[in-house]
Amino acid sequence: MYNSRHVANFLIERSLSSHRPITPLQVVQLVYLSHGWTLAVHDRPLIVEPVEAWGYGPFISDLYYALKFYSPGPVVNLLNTVGITQFDEQAILIMADTFDKYAHLSGVQLLRLSHAPGTPWDQMKGAEHRIPNSLIKAHFRSQLVGYGTA
């Protein structure tokens, strides 16, 4: 498992190198999607931090607060992190695929995906607490048919 800031930095780096700017909301949602696909495809979490059911969607608190300085504009720098992370090949493939599949969507479009009926956020909304990985995993497993690495 990795710190969500390291995962975010992977996605931000990909954004910067491909000249496809992403906003803080997109970063948080892309980290969430990468986490969900890792749970579904590899049966393990990608990030250490819990995903929480906030009023506007699934969020990772530390990551949100680290990025909110940029809102509503694009993220133009990597986040401060502790240590260096070496991602395993499975994590790299999931994060890269998630970026390629979803980064063209706006933050609002990504929230619509996470707000759809039956999603983990939909099931937990209003509770303002953690979304269990088991719920995230079950949802993303149900979506595997449309996922590129499955």
Side-chain angles (χ1 to χ4, degrees):
M1 290 192 296
Y2 306 100
N3 180 286
S4 64
R5 288 185 188 212
H6 289 276
V7 174
N9 279 346
F10 177 93
L11 298 165
I12 293 165
E13 235 175 64
R14 199 163 178 92
S15 163
L16 296 172
S17 68
S18 67
H19 305 290
R20 289 183 9 188
I22 55 177
T23 64
L25 179 55
Q26 286 171 292
V27 173
V28 172
Q29 294 303 302
L30 290 170
V31 169
Y32 167 69
L33 289 166
S34 296
H35 176 64
W37 288 122
T38 302
L39 284 164
V41 174
H42 301 297
D43 201 29
R44 65 180 171 91
L46 178 65
I47 61 172
V48 179
E49 300 89 346
V51 176
E52 300 173 26
W54 287 17
Y56 291 106
F59 274 85
I60 300 118
S61 296
D62 178 64
L63 187 55
Y64 168 79
Y65 290 113
L67 288 163
K68 77 180 216 170
F69 165 80
Y70 291 104
S71 198
V75 179
V76 295
N77 293 306
L78 298 179
L79 300 174
N80 291 330
T81 59
V82 175
I84 296 172
T85 294
Q86 288 282 35
F87 292 109
D88 62 47
E89 187 176 336
Q90 290 177 338
I92 290 169
L93 290 172
I94 291 279
M95 292 182 298
D97 195 46
T98 299
F99 183 88
D100 293 344
K101 184 174 182 177
Y102 297 103
H104 70 282
L105 299 175
S106 71
V108 172
Q109 290 172 313
L110 289 169
L111 281 180
R112 282 189 193 127
L113 288 176
S114 66
H115 286 197
T119 61
W121 177 85
D122 181 56
Q123 294 177 49
M124 303 296 288
K125 70 183 174 191
E128 298 281 331
H129 56 62
R130 295 176 178 185
I131 301 173
N133 278 340
S134 58
L135 192 59
I136 297 169
K137 179 173 140 183
H139 171 73
F140 279 82
R141 278 229 169 122
S142 75
Q143 305 297 310
L144 275 174
V145 172
Y147 189 74
T149 62

